[in-house]
Amino acid sequence: MALIFILALYATVGVMSVVGSIYLSQRFIAPRYESLAFGLFLIVIACFYLVFLSHFADPEAWRLELTAIAAFVVLGLLGIRIPALLIVGYLLHGGWDLLHELEAHANMDPFGGRRASEIPLAYGVFCAAYDCGMAAYFFTRRSQWRSAWSAQTDSANPAAA
């Protein structure tokens, strides 16, 4: 029963973090830079696994984690200009976090026998809630981001107008 309460609490904190992120980004970041900020943030949150690798000192997990981090770096960078890739990147990252949660705390083997980094209890649930909520937000903002980048490109190239 305590585990269910902890998971629900972390999921709630993840949703509250979504609300805070949306509020702050709309208040302080212009739409043309919002996708940039969240693309770079995907890279940062993916790199948290480097901290877990270092802290839990599991040398068997390096290859798997570095491969995943590289994929999230690519999705984050491409997602700056292609909102669909940012949405996919956050959804995949949320799934990645849940897979870690299943391996670490549910005694499952979602990585086919390969070791992944350990994570703190309920971290995967928090991140999955945050990542999925942000992906939903990105879906609603994708047309504004495309328009903002198009306007920036058109103003930089007067001959295109």
Side-chain angles (χ1 to χ4, degrees):
M1 184 64 161
L3 179 61
I4 292 171
F5 179 75
I6 291 169
L7 296 176
L9 179 64
Y10 274 77
T12 302
V13 172
V15 171
M16 291 171 58
S17 298
V18 169
V19 173
S21 293
I22 291 170
Y23 173 78
L24 291 173
S25 69
Q26 287 187 350
R27 177 137 168 99
F28 296 111
I29 303 173
R32 102 171 36 154
Y33 300 115
E34 197 175 24
S35 63
L36 171 68
F38 286 116
L40 296 176
F41 190 63
L42 177 60
I43 295 168
V44 170
I45 62 178
C47 288
F48 268 73
Y49 282 95
L50 294 173
V51 174
F52 298 144
L53 282 166
S54 178
H55 176 73
F56 293 112
D58 188 353
E60 294 178 33
W62 279 95
R63 178 175 284 164
L64 178 65
E65 297 295 350
L66 289 175
T67 302
I69 290 168
F72 291 123
V73 167
V74 169
L75 288 169
L77 291 174
L78 293 176
I80 291 169
R81 293 297 297 264
I82 305 168
L85 291 179
L86 197 58
I87 294 167
V88 168
Y90 272 78
L91 289 173
L92 287 174
H93 188 263
W96 185 250
D97 292 321
L98 281 180
L99 291 175
H100 279 79
E101 193 76 42
L102 292 173
E103 181 190 50
H105 305 296
N107 296 321
M108 297 178 85
D109 182 18
F111 300 109
R114 289 177 286 181
R115 294 244 341 121
S117 176
E118 293 182 46
I119 61 171
L121 178 64
Y123 176 81
V125 172
F126 161 78
C127 285
Y130 180 81
D131 292 341
C132 291
M134 292 310 295
Y137 171 67
F138 301 158
F139 184 79
T140 67
R141 295 288 284 175
R142 68 192 189 288
S143 61
Q144 287 97 342
W145 291 349
R146 274 194 293 262
S147 296
W149 280 105
S150 295
Q152 181 180 5
T153 304
D154 292 344
S155 67
N157 185 5

